[in-house]
Amino acid sequence: MTAKCNSKTVFIARLLKATLNYAFSASIMRKKTFYLIGSVSFICWTVILCYLFIHKPLGKGFKYNEVVIQVENLENELQSQLKANELLLLHLKNIKKQIQETGKDLKKILEDNPDALDLKSDKITINKEDSICVLLLACNRITVKRNLDQLLKYRPDEKSFPLIVSQDCNHRATTNAIMSYGNQLTLIRQPDMSDIPLVGREKKFKGYYKISRHYGWALNQTFHKFNCDTAIIVEDDLDIAPDFFEYFRGLYPILKSDPTLWCVSAWNDNGKEALVANDPTLLHRTDFFPGLGWMLTKDIWLELQTKWPKAFWDDWIRQPAQRKERACIRPEISRTKTFGKIGVSNGLFYEKHLKFIKLNDEFVPFSKRNLTHLLKDNYDVAFLKSVYGSPPVSLQQLLSGSISTNGSVRLTYKTKDSFKKIAKSLGLMEDFKSGVPRIGYRGVVSFMHKHRRVYLAPIAEWKGYDTSWT
């Protein structure tokens, strides 16, 4: 029995040894095979590379221009794709809002509007149930009728643009003029007629204190009592363009979707006829708050209302603490024009400048146009390329017309005084507010001179606005 066990044990041990020897031999063979295949592959690859290098056609070296063209084509393709993505995002945001506000599901919304997600369509639709309130601020000018007549003439319908008139001053004749329009508008009256106690030099600015008080109250009423989501603010001394409402309707989705924007204005501070292109479709971004017919959202008002100033609200709103590096949209050709020579500013700038502003007289269907080029990422790339790609010229060259190119040109300023000198020579407004020149964007003021686009620009390494420039 013991002998049999020993014999089996010896047999198993021999079998195990043989198996291990075979496995070890096979492992060595596999390693040798792997090394052999690797070596052959390396040799073949080296031979191919040598062959290609030796037989490379002569005279066909690296072509820099071709590479540049290919890179530019790739850049254009990427920009097109980004624009398509942004357009799709705007469509999706619009549909999301419709779902939330109407309770309809996606299928129903697409049945009502089959083009809602069509990227070939330039139109970004606004929910028909949306409305943009219009807030008209009035005081003691019966000429408010001139403004009201135009607002009611060009307003597409009452539901889309409900009109609120807020009156200060308790001026009976003006109240009667406003009430003569009946239910075409809603009249609210600023209740605080108390005097504002001021001392010293402040006394002569009392009118500005009352205006700021009225603005704050009226905006609170508009966004809280009437629960408006967005409002267009106008004053009682403005003429408006035929496409005034279409302008704001078309830009409404852009304002709502771009967090780097905080207002849309109908006004170009440098909008004299000689300084603008004859193209009513042109729109721009600006770091300067223009006012004179402007649109803001409730979200922005909630941000401003708790710190609303006692006076000079427009200068206050231009300060960095309020602007927060955000921009507004402005037109090339103004959609408003002031006829108010008499007011608290005593005609400041009116005779010299404001009365020469060109008012647009052509209707542009902005709500049917693709305006996504105004979104910051799209706009800044094209804008800076245009500005700093334009050849630099001197003021003397520009004034004398001794410029060889027919395209846009660039004037460079480095100091506040050099800016003011150039601006004065060309009929531009010279002042700064919190370091920002009127209509300026990234320090650049864009205008026309003798049918040529001119950029009055800081150096390309510009670091930002200097708030000491006033």
Side-chain angles (χ1 to χ4, degrees):
M1 183 70 179
T2 304
K4 286 184 178 180
C5 287
N6 289 336
S7 124
K8 286 183 179 179
T9 301
V10 171
F11 174 77
I12 292 171
R14 287 177 179 175
L15 181 61
L16 180 59
K17 181 178 180 181
T19 303
L20 291 171
N21 287 336
Y22 176 78
F24 180 72
S25 300
S27 174
I28 293 174
M29 286 294 294
R30 282 196 296 270
K31 286 184 179 179
K32 288 182 178 179
T33 303
F34 174 76
Y35 290 141
L36 179 63
I37 293 172
S39 300
V40 172
S41 299
F42 176 75
I43 292 169
C44 290
W45 179 246
T46 303
V47 170
I48 292 170
L49 286 177
C50 291
Y51 176 84
L52 292 174
F53 180 77
I54 293 170
H55 291 82
K56 184 181 74 172
L58 298 176
K60 293 185 179 180
F62 179 74
K63 294 186 177 181
Y64 177 78
N65 291 337
E66 290 183 3
V67 174
V68 170
I69 292 172
Q70 291 176 6
V71 171
E72 288 182 348
N73 289 338
L74 177 60
E75 179 186 359
N76 291 334
E77 290 177 8
L78 290 173
Q79 287 291 339
S80 298
Q81 186 60 48
L82 284 172
K83 288 182 179 180
N85 291 342
E86 286 163 351
L87 186 60
L88 176 59
L89 180 61
L90 289 177
H91 283 304
L92 291 173
K93 285 183 176 179
N94 184 46
I95 289 174
K96 179 182 177 182
K97 186 171 183 180
Q98 292 185 52
I99 292 172
Q100 291 174 338
E101 295 186 356
T102 65
K104 298 178 182 177
D105 58 21
L106 179 61
K107 181 178 179 181
K108 179 61 177 175
I109 289 174
L110 291 177
E111 286 176 355
D112 295 341
N113 181 14
D115 295 330
L117 290 176
D118 183 7
L119 295 185
K120 295 179 180 179
S121 171
D122 286 340
K123 184 177 180 181
I124 303 174
T125 58
I126 300 175
N127 183 359
K128 293 181 179 179
E129 296 182 11
D130 282 346
S131 64
I132 302 173
C133 296
V134 180
L135 173 62
L136 168 61
L137 291 112
C139 182
N140 57 0
R141 289 188 281 213
I142 60 172
T143 51
V144 66
K145 287 177 66 69
R146 174 169 166 175
N147 180 254
L148 282 170
D149 287 343
Q150 294 176 41
L151 287 171
L152 295 173
K153 176 183 178 181
Y154 296 127
R155 181 172 68 170
D157 61 85
E158 182 180 351
K159 185 176 180 181
S160 298
F161 295 95
L163 176 56
I164 303 165
V165 180
S166 179
Q167 189 194 357
D168 198 3
C169 309
N170 200 23
H171 188 253
R172 174 50 57 183
T174 303
T175 303
N176 291 340
I178 297 169
M179 292 180 67
S180 69
Y181 291 90
N183 60 7
Q184 295 180 87
L185 55 82
T186 300
L187 173 62
I188 57 176
R189 300 172 69 182
Q190 205 280 104
D192 187 359
M193 293 292 115
S194 64
D195 189 36
I196 299 176
L198 299 171
V199 296
R201 296 179 60 186
E202 289 184 339
K203 288 182 179 180
K204 64 179 181 180
F205 300 122
K206 183 174 290 189
Y208 291 101
Y209 281 82
K210 290 185 176 181
I211 288 173
S212 190
R213 179 173 68 182
H214 183 199
Y215 257 87
W217 180 84
L219 287 167
N220 268 328
Q221 293 292 301
T222 300
F223 288 115
H224 296 302
K225 178 179 177 180
F226 294 99
N227 199 30
C228 297
D229 175 71
T230 308
I232 301 167
I233 295 91
V234 293
E235 296 180 4
D236 59 358
D237 60 348
L238 292 180
D239 287 327
I240 65 171
D243 62 351
F244 175 85
F245 290 99
E246 177 68 7
Y247 171 79
F248 284 110
R249 178 182 286 279
L251 286 165
Y252 171 82
I254 301 298
L255 176 63
K256 295 287 284 186
S257 63
D258 187 347
T260 69
L261 291 173
W262 72 322
C263 87
V264 174
S265 173
W267 177 255
N268 177 356
D269 275 293
N270 284 312
K272 296 177 183 177
E273 188 160 9
L275 297 174
V276 297
N278 187 27
D279 183 356
T281 68
L282 279 182
L283 304 174
H284 309 271
R285 292 174 70 101
T286 177
D287 295 323
F288 189 91
F289 172 78
L292 293 179
W294 54 288
M295 179 167 67
L296 84 162
T297 64
K298 186 174 184 176
D299 288 341
I300 296 296
W301 176 244
L302 292 176
E303 180 183 316
L304 300 175
Q305 65 177 4
T306 57
K307 52 180 181 176
W308 191 252
K310 293 181 178 180
F312 304 105
W313 70 267
D314 49 347
D315 287 342
W316 172 84
I317 209 170
R318 292 168 179 142
Q319 294 172 1
Q322 282 65 252
R323 188 170 70 83
K324 297 180 180 178
E325 298 187 354
R326 293 172 294 196
C328 297
I329 300 296
R330 69 165 181 89
E332 175 79 4
I333 303 176
S334 288
R335 264 57 186 186
T336 56
K337 180 176 181 177
T338 179
F339 58 82
K341 179 180 178 180
I342 306 301
V344 294
S345 61
N346 294 318
L348 184 65
F349 294 134
Y350 185 84
E351 287 296 334
K352 180 181 176 181
H353 187 84
L354 297 179
K355 74 177 184 180
F356 299 108
I357 298 296
K358 179 180 179 180
L359 181 65
N360 179 59
D361 58 4
E362 295 182 41
F363 187 92
V364 179
F366 285 110
S367 63
K368 297 180 181 179
R369 299 174 66 87
N370 181 3
L371 302 178
T372 55
H373 67 280
L374 294 167
L375 298 172
K376 182 177 176 62
D377 290 343
N378 295 338
Y379 188 89
D380 283 10
V381 171
F383 179 73
L384 293 176
K385 185 176 182 180
S386 180
V387 172
Y388 293 101
S390 299
V393 298
S394 68
L395 177 61
Q396 185 177 358
Q397 285 178 301
L398 182 65
L399 293 174
S400 64
S402 56
I403 301 173
S404 58
T405 179
N406 292 322
S408 61
V409 295
R410 173 166 46 93
L411 293 169
T412 301
Y413 70 91
K414 295 182 179 180
T415 65
K416 178 181 69 173
D417 290 339
S418 65
F419 177 92
K420 285 179 171 288
K421 178 182 177 181
I422 295 171
K424 186 175 182 179
S425 300
L426 296 169
L428 301 168
M429 295 194 79
E430 310 162 31
D431 61 328
F432 294 84
K433 300 292 184 181
S434 295
V436 184
R438 291 182 186 266
I439 76 169
Y441 185 67
R442 296 180 66 98
V444 180
V445 171
S446 171
F447 62 98
M448 300 296 291
H449 179 75
K450 296 181 179 179
H451 309 291
R452 180 196 300 275
R453 177 63 62 182
V454 181
Y455 299 107
L456 178 52
I459 58 175
E461 297 79 19
W462 180 73
K463 300 299 182 182
Y465 295 108
D466 184 344
T467 55
S468 69
W469 290 21
T470 57

